[in-house]
Amino acid sequence: MPSSAPAKATAAKSPDPVPASGPIDRYFKISERGSTLAREIRGGFATFFAMAYIIVLNPIILSSAKDMYGHQLDYGQLVTATVITAAFTTLLMGVIGNVPIALAAGLGVNSVVALQLAPRMTWPDAMGMVVLAGLVVMLLVATGLRERVMNAVPLGLRKAISIGIGLFIMLIGLVDGGFVTRIPDVAETTVPLQLGGTGHLTGWPVLVFVLGTLLTFVLIVRKVSGAILISIVTMTVLALILNAAASLKAASWGLTVPEWPGNPVASPDFGLIGKVSLFGGFDKVGFLTGTLFVFTVLLSCFFDAMGTIMGVSDEAKLTDADGNMPGINRVLFVDGIAVAAGGASSSSATTCFVESTAGVGEGARTGFANVVTGALFAVALFLTPVATMVPSQAATPALVAVGFLILSNSVKEIDWADHTIAIPAFVTMLMMPFTYSITNGIGMGFITFVVLRLAAGRAKEVPVPLYVVSAVFGFYYLMPALGLT
């Protein structure tokens, strides 16, 4: 935020690529990138299952909030909006960007929309500001500024971003799997997390997660193709059996309960599509506040996606010797379209999902994996009850395993002897999981890098774009103190 044979074996490009065997192979460069159609399909399935929770979670977050007039968005319409936008943007990224990076409504930014924007305006106004943020992202791509920022990041920081994402998705896996949980503030303890729900591992759902994690690692060690997908399917079947046999409460599984739905077909409701007021929010909150709202959405989308793209492309070995990805502008432009599309569908900003690393762990190296993931989202538009049948405890072991694989591939490539890069790298990789934000990890790492290079008398070694971005992040972090939020 990811063949499941060992990552090192499948992540590297084949030294002698097999000649393309058909139009799909040639278009997506499957053989050229050392992959196979089977790996791409497995990767597409693995990514979908790893991120299918968004079908449930995004509607919960958005439908629970009210706008300035007390209006709430319809849950069923939000499910449709979330799924159709994820399907469209994921397919678009696959066909145009040709990378295995799936997209859906971004966590974090949807909370900003629900809790900061909507209470000050109407829902169409709030979604209009998301559309504006997407248009700004596309403008930055068209002018080359976004690519310049990405290319200005030193290789050591790029690797740190990958490692931070690895740690972040590992923590996401542990939390969503119920292996660790947040200790409520009412406990008045300085310890933020605990083992299981009570300080101990209890309950069948946690057992499914533990067994799934062990099974995934065993299959990887045994060099079994499809390890991640095999684990997800196996643990889902086990969860279905346990849930039926033990008569567990639905709440014990979290958002997704492993039970076969009585009616697997759900009719989509497109009522929220296009319900947008592009500039109405400025009338409600004024030009300055409205601009800051757009800036907040923009910053989160810009750098969350940047970190994910860097991390996933690096793990998939799609970068060159300098850490740059050929054809990055197409990827970045599709990401901008996705942000705007999320606002236009009222599902909040859509962005690149770090759970795509699950597909990369399965061997996905091209956009064809996205075609598979996008097609599964399209099917979920009508079969949402089935799509949400896979519990997080069955899917999240993939994130823990891939988190390890990312670390093992990247940590040795940082120059730990140069403290002006090692310390910012350290800050970057730790702040992502500790603040639960890719954007925060990048921002704090950039600022630390600039400060330390200046302190070391190496100001000329800092690319100009990093001075600008660090200043923007500094302003962003000072906004609450300045009374601008």
Side-chain angles (χ1 to χ4, degrees):
M1 253 199 161
S3 141
S4 63
K8 289 186 180 181
T10 58
K13 289 184 179 179
S14 172
D16 297 303
V18 178
S21 58
I24 292 178
D25 195 328
R26 286 193 294 272
Y27 181 84
F28 289 103
K29 303 179 180 179
I30 295 174
S31 296
E32 181 181 327
R33 294 185 182 177
S35 185
T36 66
L37 196 62
R39 288 179 184 173
E40 298 299 313
I41 292 173
R42 290 200 308 265
F45 270 86
T47 293
F48 173 76
F49 286 128
M51 61 187 290
Y53 68 86
I54 198 64
I55 299 174
V56 177
L57 186 55
N58 189 55
I60 288 176
I61 293 173
L62 292 177
S63 65
S64 64
K66 298 179 180 179
D67 68 8
M68 66 183 300
Y69 297 116
H71 298 153
Q72 292 178 280
L73 297 178
D74 179 80
Y75 182 88
Q77 293 177 340
L78 280 170
V79 170
T80 297
T82 300
V83 174
I84 196 172
T85 308
F88 168 70
T89 55
T90 297
L91 285 167
L92 198 66
M93 182 66 83
V95 174
I96 296 178
N98 195 22
V99 289
I101 301 176
L103 301 96
L107 293 176
V109 68
N110 56 7
S111 297
V112 171
V113 173
L115 302 178
Q116 294 185 35
L117 273 63
R120 305 279 297 273
M121 57 192 73
T122 68
W123 281 109
D125 295 337
M127 295 303 171
M129 291 194 163
V130 174
V131 174
L132 289 175
L135 295 177
V136 174
V137 170
M138 285 186 273
L139 178 63
L140 291 174
V141 174
T143 58
L145 290 177
R146 193 174 186 187
E147 184 177 9
R148 286 185 63 192
V149 171
M150 291 188 69
N151 290 341
V153 181
L155 185 61
L157 275 183
R158 289 172 182 266
K159 296 299 179 181
I161 289 171
S162 296
I163 295 169
I165 287 175
L167 292 170
F168 184 39
I169 65 171
M170 182 191 69
L171 181 59
I172 290 174
L174 293 173
V175 172
D176 290 353
F179 192 82
V180 297
T181 60
R182 175 178 176 271
I183 299 177
D185 293 338
V186 292
E188 296 184 357
T189 175
T190 57
V191 180
L193 297 174
Q194 63 184 357
L195 183 66
T198 61
H200 304 280
L201 295 178
T202 57
W204 294 111
V206 174
L207 177 63
V208 170
F209 171 81
V210 172
L211 292 177
T213 303
L214 291 174
L215 177 61
T216 304
F217 280 127
V218 167
L219 293 174
I220 288 174
V221 169
R222 297 289 298 176
K223 298 180 172 58
V224 176
S225 296
I228 289 174
L229 190 55
I230 289 172
S231 175
I232 292 173
V233 173
T234 302
M235 289 302 110
T236 298
V237 173
L238 177 61
L240 285 166
I241 295 171
L242 288 175
N243 188 63
S247 300
L248 301 178
K249 293 182 180 179
S252 62
W253 292 100
L255 290 174
T256 52
V257 181
E259 57 184 10
W260 189 259
N263 183 10
V265 179
S267 300
D269 185 339
F270 301 96
L272 287 177
I273 307 299
K275 299 293 185 181
V276 175
S277 173
L278 205 56
F279 298 103
F282 292 93
D283 292 334
K284 307 291 194 308
V285 299
F287 178 79
L288 177 59
T289 300
T291 301
L292 289 174
F293 279 160
V294 173
F295 172 76
T296 300
V297 173
L298 169 68
L299 199 65
S300 179
C301 294
F302 187 107
F303 288 101
D304 260 30
M306 189 185 95
T308 300
I309 292 168
M310 282 184 173
V312 175
S313 61
D314 186 60
E315 180 64 13
K317 303 303 179 186
L318 301 179
T319 54
D320 58 24
D322 297 321
N324 300 323
M325 182 168 66
I328 185 66
N329 253 4
R330 294 194 304 274
V331 175
L332 297 176
F333 195 78
V334 172
D335 176 65
I337 294 174
V339 175
S345 68
S346 298
S347 62
S348 180
T350 297
T351 189
C352 300
F353 254 56
V354 72
E355 283 83 356
S356 301
T357 52
V360 172
E362 271 296 340
R365 298 292 178 266
T366 76
F368 190 76
N370 262 36
V371 173
V372 175
T373 303
L376 290 172
F377 269 115
V379 172
L381 192 61
F382 302 94
L383 299 175
T384 301
V386 176
T388 56
M389 185 183 67
V390 179
S392 59
Q393 291 83 358
T396 51
L399 302 183
V400 177
V402 173
F404 159 74
L405 296 174
I406 291 176
L407 262 68
S408 64
N409 289 337
S410 299
V411 71
K412 61 182 177 293
E413 299 187 45
I414 296 175
D415 183 4
W416 296 103
D418 182 356
H419 287 178
T420 65
I421 192 67
I423 294 174
F426 174 76
V427 171
T428 298
M429 65 179 69
L430 291 186
M431 286 304 102
M432 285 189 190
F434 287 168
T435 66
Y436 228 65
S437 167
I438 294 173
T439 297
N440 281 338
I442 292 174
M444 294 176 188
F446 282 5
I447 291 173
T448 305
F449 174 74
V450 170
V451 169
L452 293 183
R453 281 286 164 97
L454 288 174
R458 300 166 62 181
K460 293 182 179 180
E461 297 178 25
V462 179
V464 173
L466 286 194
Y467 280 116
V468 176
V469 172
S470 297
V472 170
F473 269 114
F475 172 72
Y476 175 72
Y477 291 130
L478 287 172
M479 281 171 59
L482 299 174
L484 296 175
T485 58

